[in-house]
Amino acid sequence: MSEPPVAPSALLAGRTVLVTGATGVGVGAGVVAAVAALGARLVLNGLGDAELEPVLARWPDAIGVVGDVSDPAAVERMLDSAQERAGVPLDGLVNNAGVGLTRRAHEADAGDFDRVHDVDVRGVWAVSRGFARRLIAAGGRGAIVNVSSVHARATEDRYAIYASAKAAVEGLTRGMAVELGPHAIRVNAIAPGYVHSEQGLELLAAVTADAAAWARRTVERDQALPEPIGALDCGWAAGFLLSDLAHGVSGQSLAIDAGMTAQLTRRDAPV
Ligand SMILES: NC(=O)c1ccc[n+]([C@@H]2O[C@H](COP(=O)([O-])OP(=O)(O)OC[C@H]3O[C@@H](n4cnc5c(N)ncnc54)[C@H](O)[C@@H]3O)[C@@H](O)[C@H]2O)c1
């Protein structure tokens, strides 16, 4: 279930939250919707103006900032522009931007490896670094939520390089939590399993001949709770970790996987 059981509160009122890769159809869209519903001011990052345009039409009060997260110089320009336009330091960050790869490690080339690690790891580091430096300089407190994946813990055929990147994201999460704790900045991660969306199904067609069957099998066999995970499920968890309700939580990764990584065997495994 994605809809909240009660009306969302103003849990993030007064906060200014940057969401990277906010123009996608999956996890990021749910994070943006949840963070907005919880009352934060949104700063939305996209790779270009064309990608940002429809998202800013949907969230007209948001500040849009263009920048490739894997390019540290572009990240610095983006953060300067965001802070100047917001008029206050950003005090929340969701490192959502990410790319996937479905090629076996021994069949991939250096370009595949670099593309995934540049965006998924270097991007998280570069944006977190710039965010933390500015917030520390302003004497503020805040929170970072990194979007990891179940692949950080256990993986499957064709995901080794993606898994290595998400494992690095979880290492950064713990390490930066240690280093930024004294500055009153908490750092956590969410680790989604398969997040269902109709548009996502179209994208899945690139890796499987029958995307609908693949999604059904994942939900019914690979999850303990056989209900689809929605992008908003990830969004509410990110909202909680950004908020003061998570005051005592730092350096953790919260799986949003309907119990997938808790299962030792698949539901229909032969006995
Ligand atoms: N969809 C899932 O089932 C799922 C599961 C686990 C983890 N995740 C993670 O969720 C995050 C969001 O992915 P998604 O699946 O929702 O896909 P998505 O394609 O809908 O979103 C990814 C976004 O990242 C942006 N992006 C890519 N490279 C960028 C860069 N260099 N700089 C700035 N933005 C960039 C894209 O433009 C897009 O807006 C990723 O980190 C992904 O690894 C997704």
Side-chain angles (χ1 to χ4, degrees):
M1 165 149 346
S2 294
E3 294 305 318
V6 292
S9 70
L11 203 55
L12 298 176
R15 303 282 296 274
T16 307
V17 177
L18 167 64
V19 182
T20 67
T23 58
V25 297
V27 174
V31 168
V32 170
V35 169
L38 296 173
R41 184 165 189 207
L42 288 170
V43 181
L44 303 179
N45 156 256
L47 269 172
D49 286 319
E51 289 100 326
L52 266 173
E53 200 179 312
V55 185
L56 293 175
R58 165 97 174 77
W59 306 104
D61 294 334
I63 295 169
V65 283
V66 169
D68 178 340
V69 298
S70 68
D71 175 351
V75 166
E76 288 298 302
R77 286 194 297 274
M78 173 180 86
L79 290 169
D80 280 342
S81 157
Q83 184 160 321
E84 192 186 317
R85 290 168 63 197
V88 290
L90 310 181
D91 56 7
L93 165 64
V94 181
N95 279 308
N96 167 74
V99 293
L101 178 72
T102 48
R103 280 186 90 179
R104 296 182 180 101
H106 70 282
E107 293 168 352
D109 55 39
D112 293 324
F113 184 93
D114 288 347
R115 189 174 62 86
V116 174
H117 278 257
D118 281 356
V119 178
D120 292 7
V121 186
R122 198 157 83 138
V124 169
W125 163 74
V127 182
S128 300
R129 178 182 71 163
F131 168 86
R133 283 181 177 175
R134 285 165 180 77
L135 192 54
I136 291 167
R141 50 192 304 130
I144 298 173
V145 177
N146 296 324
V147 180
S148 175
S149 161
V150 287
H151 287 276
R153 301 169 190 205
T155 194
E156 60 192 43
D157 185 28
R158 297 188 298 172
Y159 282 88
I161 289 174
Y162 179 71
S164 72
K166 292 302 186 181
V169 167
E170 298 211 349
L172 264 178
T173 302
R174 287 187 288 273
M176 291 192 78
V178 170
E179 294 169 359
L180 293 176
H183 299 285
I185 301 174
R186 295 181 298 100
V187 187
N188 291 289
I190 58 170
Y194 164 63
V195 178
H196 185 74
S197 74
E198 288 308 313
Q199 288 148 300
L201 269 188
E202 288 166 26
L203 300 177
L204 264 177
V207 290
T208 170
D210 189 342
W214 183 95
R216 203 167 43 247
R217 195 194 58 205
T218 299
V219 169
E220 292 175 359
R221 186 187 67 168
D222 298 345
Q223 297 178 184
L225 185 74
E227 294 173 13
I229 301 163
L232 261 176
D233 294 322
C234 301
W236 299 128
F240 162 71
L241 290 170
L242 287 170
S243 81
D244 288 342
L245 288 184
H247 175 254
V249 184
S250 199
Q252 301 303 307
S253 177
L254 178 59
I256 316 298
D257 69 351
M260 176 186 275
T261 50
Q263 287 199 151
L264 196 54
T265 58
R266 291 173 164 160
R267 293 166 69 82
D268 60 353
V271 286

